[in-house]
Amino acid sequence: MSSTKQKSVRFPNDFDIAKSGSYNATKFLKTVSIKKHEETSNLELEKVEIEPKMKMFRKKKLSRVFSEDYDGLQWKILDPRGRPINIWNKCFLIACLTSLFVDPLFFYLPSVNDEICMDASYPMEIVLTVVRSVIDAFYLVQILVHFRTAYVAPSSRVFGRGELVIDSSKIASRYLQKDFWVDLLATLPLPQVLIWAAIPSLRGSNIIGAKHALRLTIISQFLLRLCLIFPLSSHIIKTTGVMVEAAWAGAVYNLVLFMLGSHVMGSCWYLLAVERQEQCWKKICDQQQPYCQYWYFDCQRMNDTSRIAWYQWSNISTLCGPSSNFFQFGIFNDALTYRVTQSSFLNKYTYCFWWGLRNLSSIGQNLMTTTDINEINFAVVLAILGLLFFALLIGNMQSFLQSTTKRLEEWRIRRTDTEEWMDHRQLPHDLKERVRKYDLYRWVTARGVDEESIIRSLPVDLRRDIKRHLCLDLVRRVPLFDQMDECILDAICERLKPLLYTAGTCLVREADPVKEMHFIIRGHLDSYTTDGGRTGFFNSCKLAPCDFCGEELLTWALDPRPSIILPSSTRTVIALTEVEAFALSAEDVTFVASQFRKLHSKQLRHTFRFYSNQWRTWAACFIQAAWFRYKRRKEAAELNKAKQSHLAAPVELRDEGRSASLGQKASEFAVYAAKLATSTRKGGSMRGELEIISSLQKPIEPDFSVEDR
């Protein structure tokens, strides 16, 4: 209820009672009951006003809905973009292609006998009727599916995918006004009805008229079903994006269409060849009237006495033969020469298919026609279809096949451009070899695919999951990242950039700014330092998978007061073999460093020191300097001991009982004197080495504390 209709009840307190002097409890309860009754009446009044509106809302039928929200009625009204419709459309497309293959087989029903008569194959009629009826069932189901498939409202196509109209009455009305009658004509089993209804005619005297009616019916329905394939293919492409995803499947699809065209043209050629023979028979029959009748050409009347008598003296076999000049058969002469019309079904189908394939491929260039108008029209149609098939279908198939080698051709063109550029700039031979080696290694590794551009084009969530799949196991192998949780590892994986290096490539030079921190995945590298180019100092170590370099960048990022200038590298890193690595830029290392500061672990500090080459070098030099100092102190102690023995030697010589050991002491003194001289000569070089080693400064300690910068 609104605030204007709210009722409030105020109970009297002690101050009100004292002010009024007396308090009537009965009067107060009566007032409260009246107010409650008024509130109940208002609620009932509002309920009476709202209920009719709710009933009207319930009776209102939902007629439009978005495809994303359409789940509840998916088996009553189908979504045209849904998976069931997509699967059915592909199945129906296969049925349509099968129908286009089956319909021309009806042209092979008439066959010619050696006795100059025409008959129909009864077993073939049964097989074609059954197969065609099964295919017609698919067209019938397609009509029913159209009545239960929603469509996109034209007024909602301004933005987005539009709204679906799910009102069954509107769907049926729209379908009846547009495509229903075409689908119905394509679905009717007219060839089966004509075959079985015309069987008496085919075996009687009206064979010619029945055959023409059957031919026109089959051609009409064939064209209707052919026209239905184009909107169906367009709808599949619009919904799924492509007809077929694999390149080889697209090539096979176009090849099947070309072979289907060859099959259709071959069957038409066979039917026209039979009709051309029939024209020759009719011409002779017209000349031999009234002794000849058209029903003589029906094999069912072959045993008729009048027909036998006419056949014996008519000489029709010779006059309508392939070598006779009485009648010109033109492009159908091969059918008589090779007795195609009198062969078995398999033989005549194979030859007719080969005839159609050969002439479609050659665009009918080898056809020698007569002046017959029907023959010329057929040759013209054959040439036009051959040109269209060659331009469209064969061209598409070539495009599909070339797509498999497109990357290779692009790489070859790019490599040719690179060679021309290097020759134009007159690069030395060693630089050219390095460029060629890197280009080849990059092609072998990635096959010309730019992984970063593909990943950048994906949504953030999908990009994160892909990076996690590719990099998480590799990142976990780096000991420096072993202490991090899943969230931090995901963030690191998202920022890693894959890199490739060939043997001899210098990743970073000593004293150059460090721009990236590299984590080795595969290969080996050499890392060495001269401590700024000082004479006599050289330290080298090998980097293997799971190692990293460029740790100066992490130390710089962990500094509470970092400098704007990037840190300088303390080592030179060169690839010894082909190397695959991931890199973190300075900005990304700053992010990782902020995550390190949240860990504030002493173990992480020890891990960084243990795996850092800079700290390893300093630790090795520190131990070596300590060993040198220890060795110097030890030798100095030995020399002091020798000096003390030398000073004590004259006192012992004055003793009477030890005169015999004078020679031995003198020899010991000579040995100590020689050690003293040797130690004095070595002391200079040892002091020089100690100065070089001791002068190596201790690396800056990374700040893993949690204090804010």
Side-chain angles (χ1 to χ4, degrees):
M1 291 184 299
S2 61
S3 59
T4 57
K5 296 182 180 181
Q6 290 181 352
K7 300 294 182 179
S8 60
V9 179
R10 179 175 178 271
F11 289 92
N13 52 20
D14 296 339
F15 178 77
D16 294 334
I17 296 173
K19 186 176 180 180
S20 59
S22 64
Y23 174 65
N24 192 349
T26 305
K27 183 179 180 181
F28 173 74
L29 293 175
K30 184 177 180 181
T31 304
V32 171
S33 62
I34 292 173
K35 291 181 178 180
K36 286 184 178 181
H37 179 70
E38 292 177 357
E39 291 181 1
T40 305
S41 301
N42 292 333
L43 287 174
E44 291 178 354
L45 181 62
E46 291 182 359
K47 187 175 181 181
V48 171
E49 295 176 355
I50 292 175
E51 280 184 355
K53 298 180 180 179
M54 294 297 295
K55 291 181 180 179
M56 292 177 61
F57 181 76
R58 293 191 190 101
K59 292 180 180 179
K60 188 176 181 180
K61 190 175 181 180
L62 186 64
S63 61
R64 289 189 182 185
V65 69
F66 286 106
S67 178
E68 294 78 5
D69 303 328
Y70 186 62
D71 293 328
L73 304 174
Q74 58 181 352
W75 295 114
K76 297 181 180 179
I77 301 297
L78 299 174
D79 184 3
R81 310 184 189 106
R83 180 177 175 83
I85 288 294
N86 292 333
I87 296 175
W88 165 250
N89 286 337
K90 292 182 179 180
C91 295
F92 183 64
L93 178 62
I94 297 175
C96 291
L97 295 177
T98 307
S99 174
L100 296 182
F101 174 80
V102 172
D103 284 356
L105 294 179
F106 284 96
F107 294 160
Y108 292 99
L109 285 177
S111 60
V112 178
N113 196 289
D114 293 336
E115 300 294 333
I116 310 301
C117 63
M118 193 175 298
D119 197 4
S121 176
Y122 185 75
M124 189 175 176
E125 290 178 357
I126 298 176
V127 173
L128 290 178
T129 301
V130 172
V131 175
R132 173 63 190 261
S133 300
V134 173
I135 297 175
D136 291 343
F138 279 87
Y139 282 86
L140 181 60
V141 174
Q142 176 70 0
I143 293 178
L144 299 178
V145 169
H146 275 304
F147 276 110
R148 309 306 299 175
T149 302
Y151 67 92
V152 179
S155 60
S156 64
R157 294 176 181 173
V158 179
F159 181 77
R161 301 176 67 183
E163 295 178 342
L164 295 179
V165 177
I166 60 175
D167 189 356
S168 58
S169 60
K170 293 182 179 179
I171 295 173
S173 175
R174 180 176 181 269
Y175 181 53
L176 289 173
Q177 294 175 3
K178 294 186 65 176
D179 302 328
F180 171 74
W181 302 108
V182 176
D183 294 344
L184 181 61
L185 291 176
T187 306
L188 294 176
L190 297 180
Q192 301 95 299
V193 174
L194 287 178
I195 284 177
W196 294 104
I199 282 179
S201 301
L202 288 173
R203 295 173 181 173
S205 59
N206 297 325
I207 180 175
I208 299 174
K211 180 170 60 64
H212 287 315
L214 178 63
R215 182 186 64 179
L216 293 177
T217 302
I218 294 174
I219 292 176
S220 301
Q221 281 207 322
F222 179 86
L223 294 177
L224 284 175
R225 297 191 173 190
L226 179 63
C227 294
L228 291 178
I229 288 183
F230 297 105
L232 179 62
S233 302
S234 177
H235 179 75
I236 294 175
I237 295 175
K238 186 184 298 184
T239 305
T240 61
V242 291
M243 180 65 68
V244 287
E245 297 181 359
W248 65 268
V252 170
Y253 177 73
N254 287 271
L255 181 61
V256 167
L257 292 180
F258 183 76
M259 297 178 68
L260 181 61
S262 303
H263 160 69
V264 173
M265 298 309 298
S267 60
C268 292
W269 176 79
Y270 174 82
L271 182 63
L272 293 176
V274 173
E275 290 186 354
R276 199 59 181 270
Q277 279 187 281
E278 186 182 17
Q279 290 178 6
C280 181
W281 298 345
K282 290 169 63 178
K283 182 177 180 181
I284 294 176
C285 188
D286 292 338
Q287 294 178 356
Q288 297 178 359
Q289 291 289 345
Y291 303 103
C292 178
Q293 302 294 330
Y294 285 166
W295 56 265
Y296 285 173
F297 305 131
D298 183 10
C299 291
Q300 301 296 328
R301 306 292 296 271
M302 189 173 55
N303 297 326
D304 188 83
T305 56
S306 59
R307 197 263 182 199
I308 295 175
W310 168 82
Y311 177 72
Q312 290 176 353
W313 66 266
S314 65
N315 197 24
I316 190 172
S317 300
T318 304
L319 294 176
C320 290
S323 59
S324 176
N325 295 326
F326 176 78
F327 194 87
Q328 298 296 327
F329 289 95
I331 61 176
F332 309 107
N333 190 57
D334 291 345
L336 278 74
T337 303
Y338 301 107
R339 301 175 60 87
V340 177
T341 57
Q342 302 173 16
S343 303
S344 62
F345 170 75
L346 184 61
N347 291 336
K348 63 185 178 183
Y349 172 77
T350 306
Y351 185 86
C352 294
F353 175 76
W354 156 245
W355 188 93
L357 182 63
R358 180 187 62 185
N359 288 279
L360 275 182
S361 302
S362 61
I363 319 178
Q365 295 179 0
N366 299 325
L367 297 178
M368 301 298 294
T369 64
T370 62
T371 57
D372 184 73
I373 188 65
N374 294 328
E375 183 179 351
I376 294 175
N377 291 335
F378 177 74
V380 170
V381 172
L382 178 67
I384 294 175
L385 288 179
L387 184 61
L388 291 177
F389 273 112
F390 185 80
L392 298 177
L393 302 182
I394 301 300
N396 291 338
M397 187 174 67
Q398 184 179 5
S399 300
F400 278 116
L401 294 177
Q402 287 180 349
S403 64
T404 58
T405 59
K406 182 179 179 181
R407 297 288 183 184
L408 180 60
E409 295 300 326
E410 291 178 353
W411 175 73
R412 287 175 178 171
I413 294 174
R414 186 172 62 253
R415 188 167 187 176
T416 302
D417 296 340
T418 304
E419 291 289 340
E420 293 178 356
W421 174 80
M422 290 190 297
D423 293 338
H424 175 69
R425 294 301 180 183
Q426 299 180 357
L427 296 182
H429 179 71
D430 57 340
L431 287 180
K432 290 182 179 180
E433 287 298 324
R434 290 173 60 184
V435 172
R436 296 187 189 112
K437 191 175 182 180
Y438 174 76
D439 196 16
L440 180 61
Y441 176 63
R442 184 178 179 183
W443 165 255
V444 171
T445 304
R447 291 293 176 181
V449 179
D450 189 0
E451 298 181 5
E452 285 299 310
S453 62
I454 295 176
I455 295 177
R456 282 196 303 268
S457 63
L458 298 175
V460 177
D461 184 61
L462 187 57
R463 183 167 64 238
R464 184 186 301 112
D465 293 340
I466 293 176
K467 283 282 191 177
R468 177 184 177 87
H469 171 73
L470 295 176
C471 306
L472 183 61
D473 294 338
L474 303 176
V475 169
R476 285 188 180 277
R477 287 161 52 185
V478 179
L480 192 62
F481 296 149
D482 193 31
Q483 302 294 327
M484 296 188 176
D485 56 10
E486 296 292 333
C487 296
I488 301 176
L489 290 178
D490 289 342
I492 294 174
C493 292
E494 188 177 355
R495 287 163 172 79
L496 288 176
K497 179 177 65 175
L499 295 175
L500 301 174
Y501 297 102
T502 57
T505 303
C506 183
L507 277 69
V508 63
R509 287 185 173 87
E510 189 175 358
D512 287 350
V514 181
K515 299 180 181 180
E516 293 177 331
M517 190 174 181
H518 296 83
F519 301 92
I520 313 303
I521 303 303
R522 188 175 67 88
H524 295 81
L525 302 94
D526 183 23
S527 176
Y528 63 87
T529 179
T530 59
D531 194 21
R534 288 186 353 182
T535 304
F537 185 88
F538 182 82
N539 176 263
S540 176
C541 64
K542 298 295 187 293
L543 297 181
C546 301
D547 291 335
F548 58 90
C549 61
E551 61 271 17
E552 298 89 354
L553 201 60
L554 181 60
T555 304
W556 167 79
L558 287 170
D559 190 358
R561 292 174 294 277
S563 175
I564 301 177
I565 303 174
L566 293 176
S568 300
S569 176
T570 59
R571 307 183 70 85
T572 299
V573 182
I574 298 177
L576 299 177
T577 61
E578 295 174 345
V579 175
E580 294 183 17
F582 284 101
L584 283 175
S585 62
E587 181 180 357
D588 296 332
V589 171
T590 303
F591 167 78
V592 175
S594 64
Q595 307 304 316
F596 273 124
R597 294 169 64 86
K598 294 179 181 179
L599 297 177
H600 56 85
S601 172
K602 291 183 178 180
Q603 184 179 359
L604 184 61
R605 180 178 303 182
H606 296 326
T607 302
F608 177 79
R609 289 179 178 179
F610 181 79
Y611 289 98
S612 173
N613 292 318
Q614 188 179 3
W615 278 89
R616 286 182 178 182
T617 302
W618 177 82
C621 294
F622 182 82
I623 295 173
Q624 193 173 5
W627 168 253
F628 282 158
R629 285 192 293 268
Y630 168 75
K631 192 173 182 181
R632 287 183 60 184
R633 287 196 298 268
K634 183 178 179 181
E635 291 179 353
E638 291 180 354
L639 290 176
N640 290 333
K641 185 177 179 181
K643 289 180 181 180
Q644 292 177 3
S645 300
H646 174 66
L647 295 176
V651 178
E652 294 177 355
L653 289 174
R654 297 189 193 99
D655 297 339
E656 295 179 355
R658 299 183 180 180
S659 58
S661 61
L662 181 61
Q664 181 179 359
K665 294 296 184 180
S667 62
E668 291 178 359
F669 178 75
V671 172
Y672 282 119
K675 288 184 179 181
L676 179 61
T678 304
S679 176
T680 303
R681 287 195 300 270
K682 290 183 178 180
S685 61
M686 188 179 297
R687 281 194 299 271
E689 294 178 359
L690 183 60
E691 291 177 359
I692 293 174
I693 295 173
S694 302
S695 61
L696 184 65
Q697 296 181 356
K698 181 180 179 180
I700 301 175
E701 183 77 19
D703 184 14
F704 290 98
S705 61
V706 295
E707 60 183 0
D708 295 333
R709 297 185 178 184

